[in-house]
Amino acid sequence: MKLSGYNIDILVTGFPGKSVCHGSLGWSTIVLIRHRDRLALIDVGAFGHRKLLLSALEERNLSPSDITDVLLTHSHYDHALNWVLFPKARTVIADIEMNWALEQPWGETPVPELYVRELNLLPSLVRAKDGEEVFPGITMHLAPGHTPGCVAFKLAGAEHDIIFTGDAAKNRAELVSRDTDMTYDPMVSANSIEMIWNLWTARGGNIVVPGHDVPMDLDPDGKPRYLARREAAISAWYGDTIDETTIINLVID
Ligand SMILES: [Zn+2]
């Protein structure tokens, strides 16, 4: 995606699903935004993303040290854990989210307790407030419900805006239904999704990039329309040799 002055690459496209027998899947979206001499990542993923993220950067002749800014939608492991790859980057998280994450009892939530504790000591950590400009042209908007301090980021482009919703609205189903799968209060989440819709419909051509789905704009009837093809599959060893693998495609057309 291109906007005047910005180059936007979705390095990893999130997937709107959960594992049935093995707990959460955590396949979240990671976006690279280039603007002049600044390079920002919106969310950084978890352990499973590491190789993917590093090779996506390498394909663009970039290394982790080139990243100047990390913008975290919230503290959950599948979005925030890999901040350790970018310790020099200016790392932004909502002040409310950081305070909440530090207070979470160990072993009970998707907050990576020790990574959050270390993040709090990072000299380049920025605890941002609602409405704050956290990167040139990008404002942070509190969108609680999934967690108390989860946020959406709005990139205000010359042509249109792009709204990165993180897990405030994880996927198309949550956006359309205003209902959420993981929330501490469905009404709080519904209000946040309404706020996201207000950002989305504020200008024609605006795009939403959810934390666990492909980017969407709105068709002439105001209905969300996918802008990319979903890609998801699992490779499994169901045979007797390591060379024999079965690909299980998770995309339904
Ligand atoms: Zn989350």
Side-chain angles (χ1 to χ4, degrees):
M1 285 187 278
K2 274 211 167 200
L3 279 178
S4 302
Y6 297 90
N7 211 320
I8 300 127
D9 266 336
I10 300 189
L11 300 184
V12 182
T13 302
F15 180 74
K18 288 204 236 187
S19 163
V20 175
C21 307
H22 300 86
S24 102
L25 203 58
W27 289 353
S28 60
T29 302
I30 303 176
V31 184
L32 172 68
I33 299 175
R34 290 183 248 205
H35 174 69
R36 299 195 181 136
D37 57 347
R38 305 262 295 265
L39 278 86
L41 287 174
I42 295 190
D43 284 345
V44 286
F47 293 121
H49 288 94
R50 283 188 174 174
K51 247 179 146 172
L52 200 60
L53 177 54
L54 290 172
S55 48
L57 290 174
E58 204 179 313
E59 278 165 26
R60 291 159 179 82
N61 294 318
L62 297 171
S63 72
S65 60
D66 293 319
I67 300 299
T68 58
D69 298 74
V70 167
L71 311 179
L72 299 175
T73 59
H74 64 303
S75 61
H76 281 164
Y77 80 98
D78 54 327
H79 296 257
L81 189 140
N82 282 333
W83 70 263
V84 291
L85 273 68
F86 315 100
K88 295 265 166 59
R90 183 177 175 277
T91 299
V92 174
I93 191 165
D95 190 40
I96 294 174
E97 180 74 0
M98 199 63 201
N99 289 339
W100 169 81
L102 287 166
E103 284 170 3
Q104 291 317 290
W106 287 17
E108 292 183 19
T109 75
V111 172
E113 301 87 354
L114 304 182
Y115 285 80
V116 160
R117 193 171 71 175
E118 289 297 315
L119 177 61
N120 193 42
L121 304 173
L122 194 71
S124 52
L125 181 70
V126 175
R127 287 158 163 268
K129 299 271 196 307
D130 190 29
E132 195 172 323
E133 186 172 42
V134 292
F135 184 85
I138 298 184
T139 44
M140 191 189 85
H141 303 265
L142 272 180
H146 178 70
T147 63
C150 65
V151 302
F153 293 109
K154 184 181 93 170
L155 169 51
E159 303 89 343
H160 59 80
D161 304 334
I162 303 179
I163 302 118
F164 303 91
T165 66
D167 284 0
K170 295 192 284 298
N171 52 51
R172 185 179 184 277
E174 293 192 348
L175 284 160
V176 173
S177 68
R178 272 90 159 159
D179 201 4
T180 36
D181 176 54
M182 287 173 70
T183 178
Y184 64 84
D185 184 334
M187 275 311 294
V188 174
S189 269
N191 287 337
S192 291
I193 294 175
E194 207 53 51
M195 185 275 289
I196 287 166
W197 272 98
N198 289 336
L199 295 176
W200 200 358
T201 53
R203 294 168 75 192
N206 281 358
I207 292 171
V208 156
V209 181
H212 292 268
D213 213 339
V214 295
M216 288 166 256
D217 68 357
L218 295 169
D219 72 12
D221 296 329
K223 294 215 172 68
R225 173 171 63 185
Y226 291 128
L227 296 175
R229 241 185 82 80
R230 185 169 288 131
E231 286 181 336
I234 290 173
S235 169
W237 285 278
Y238 285 160
D240 292 333
T241 70
I242 56 161
D243 302 326
E244 187 188 345
T245 53
T246 305
I247 301 285
I248 300 160
N249 191 355
L250 298 175
V251 176
I252 299 170
D253 285 315

